Amino acid sequence: MVNPDLLSPVGPNPENPFLGALSPELVELPAPRVPPSALSKDERERRKRENLERKARVAGASANDSSLYSPLTSYVTAETKLHEIISELEDAVVVGLHTCGDLAPSTLRMFSAKDELRATCSVGCCYHLLSEEFDPSRPDCPNGQWGFPMSQHLRDQGWFCGRNARMSACLALERVTVGGGLPTESLFYRAVLHVILRDHYGAIKSEKRVGNVYSKSTSFVDYVRRALGRLGLDGSKISDDTIEDYHMEYRPRIQEMEAFNMLKVSLAPCIEGLILLDRLCYLKEQENTSFSALVQLFDPLMSPRCYGIVSLKKPST
């Protein structure tokens, strides 16, 4: 059972100290987005004019006050002295929108460690890029700060997911449910390519990536040729006829692959939930936090990574 207090829905709630601090336009659900093609000509012109006026006001304010918007790029960790970067930093909120891989846990550790950061809202992304402390196949972590698990509760049990499970966590169940489907053909091409690499190239591992060659390919043979070129492998080791034979041999099994991928999609929320609840538990383990919750912020059809972790610090003494 999951404590319902940990899964606070978005909506006006005077009992919720985080959502109560937000302005109404952030708490209330936004109106459905109207595509530009559905707008009248007058409405499109009005919006365009307002957008240009807004940009002009921001540009004018920036010219008169350089502190209004000051872009900054810096590598920061929980050990970074933030006042050396932003001297006037005080009672700040750290926000991470679709923070990739280990960036999400890094920002949560920073929030916990820095007194000047009073609140946080973190939306994670790219779970397949998370580093895992207890994964037997993991590479070394240069800074000793692993992305998963964060909570002492899961660390004591030595939890790990593995890359395949984390890849599954990135899938979008809601989009598949409403008919978005999976790119079955491209996934099938990639699967058969792996068989060819295993049989003819010794399942060689390479730092190079195949990338999105499917959209540029005219046939499976063309796909394999392009992929071998991307990987820097000798294409003369296999003929076009042999490549096509692999295609014909495995084509009847495409339904098995579809069933397997649907199983992965069905399990995706469980794995994502484990990762997110681990982060939430980490924040609740910290003595300096007063409130932490997991909140659905976005429509999952628009943004499958729709959950944010929000937390508030205890009042300063």
Side-chain angles (χ1 to χ4, degrees):
M1 293 290 291
V2 177
N3 186 341
D5 292 336
L6 304 184
L7 302 173
S8 305
V10 173
N13 182 0
E15 302 298 325
N16 187 319
F18 179 82
L19 297 180
L22 297 178
S23 57
E25 64 268 26
L26 294 181
V27 174
E28 296 173 1
L29 293 176
R33 179 180 180 273
V34 179
S37 58
L39 298 173
S40 67
K41 182 178 179 180
D42 290 343
E43 178 64 14
R44 288 198 300 270
E45 288 296 326
R46 185 186 69 80
R47 293 191 179 191
K48 181 179 179 181
R49 185 168 57 254
E50 288 183 353
N51 189 40
L52 291 174
E53 291 174 354
R54 188 182 304 112
K55 288 181 178 179
R57 287 196 301 270
V58 171
S62 298
N64 296 326
D65 183 3
S66 60
S67 66
L68 179 65
Y69 173 67
S70 179
L72 173 67
T73 301
S74 181
Y75 182 82
V76 294
T77 68
E79 288 73 39
T80 301
K81 296 180 179 179
L82 297 180
H83 280 289
E84 294 182 356
I85 302 175
I86 308 174
S87 58
E88 67 275 14
L89 187 66
E90 183 178 357
D91 292 341
V93 178
V94 58
V95 177
L97 179 59
H98 291 160
T99 43
C100 184
D102 283 354
L103 183 56
S106 293
T107 56
L108 295 180
R109 288 191 177 100
M110 185 190 307
F111 163 71
S112 176
K114 304 301 179 185
D115 291 337
E116 56 266 40
L117 301 178
R118 307 305 304 165
T120 186
C121 177
S122 173
V123 181
C125 191
C126 301
Y127 302 125
H128 60 294
L129 297 177
L130 275 174
S131 61
E132 293 197 73
E133 182 175 2
F134 301 106
D135 187 346
S137 62
R138 63 171 173 78
D140 291 334
C141 186
N143 60 11
Q145 295 287 342
W146 303 93
F148 180 87
M150 291 189 70
S151 67
Q152 194 60 47
H153 178 67
L154 290 191
R155 294 186 73 241
D156 289 343
Q157 301 179 50
W159 269 78
F160 76 92
C161 296
R163 191 173 189 275
N164 285 337
R166 287 184 282 108
M167 285 287 289
S168 298
C170 297
L171 298 174
L173 174 63
E174 290 81 6
R175 289 182 177 177
V176 174
T177 302
V178 299
L182 290 167
T184 300
E185 186 79 6
S186 63
L187 291 172
F188 172 70
Y189 275 22
R190 180 66 66 94
V192 180
L193 172 64
H194 278 223
V195 177
I196 292 174
L197 294 176
R198 180 198 65 192
D199 293 351
H200 294 269
Y201 296 91
I204 185 171
K205 289 187 177 181
S206 173
E207 294 299 321
K208 300 177 180 179
R209 294 290 180 264
V210 172
N212 183 23
V213 299
Y214 172 79
S215 60
K216 304 173 184 177
S217 303
T218 58
S219 66
F220 180 70
V221 173
D222 184 35
Y223 171 84
V224 172
R225 293 296 180 201
R226 289 175 180 268
L228 293 176
R230 288 282 187 91
L231 295 172
L233 299 175
D234 182 7
S236 65
K237 293 179 66 174
I238 184 170
S239 67
D240 288 355
D241 289 341
T242 302
I243 294 174
E244 186 59 33
D245 288 343
Y246 273 94
H247 181 254
M248 298 303 295
E249 177 184 356
Y250 286 99
R251 189 73 190 184
R253 300 187 62 184
I254 194 169
Q255 290 184 334
E256 297 177 40
M257 190 199 72
E258 287 180 329
F260 176 71
N261 284 325
M262 286 304 297
L263 177 61
K264 290 175 65 178
V265 170
S266 299
L267 292 174
C270 301
I271 304 167
E272 181 179 26
L274 172 65
I275 295 171
L276 294 178
L277 288 174
D278 169 62
R279 295 172 182 176
L280 181 60
C281 285
Y282 166 81
L283 290 172
K284 287 185 171 291
E285 290 171 349
Q286 308 308 305
E287 294 182 355
N288 60 352
T289 58
S290 63
F291 169 80
S292 301
L294 184 61
V295 184
Q296 183 174 332
L297 298 175
F298 311 118
D299 180 349
L301 292 178
M302 298 293 292
S303 176
R305 305 284 76 79
C306 60
Y307 291 100
I309 295 175
V310 296
S311 185
L312 295 174
K313 288 273 184 68
K314 291 179 180 179
S316 301
T317 56

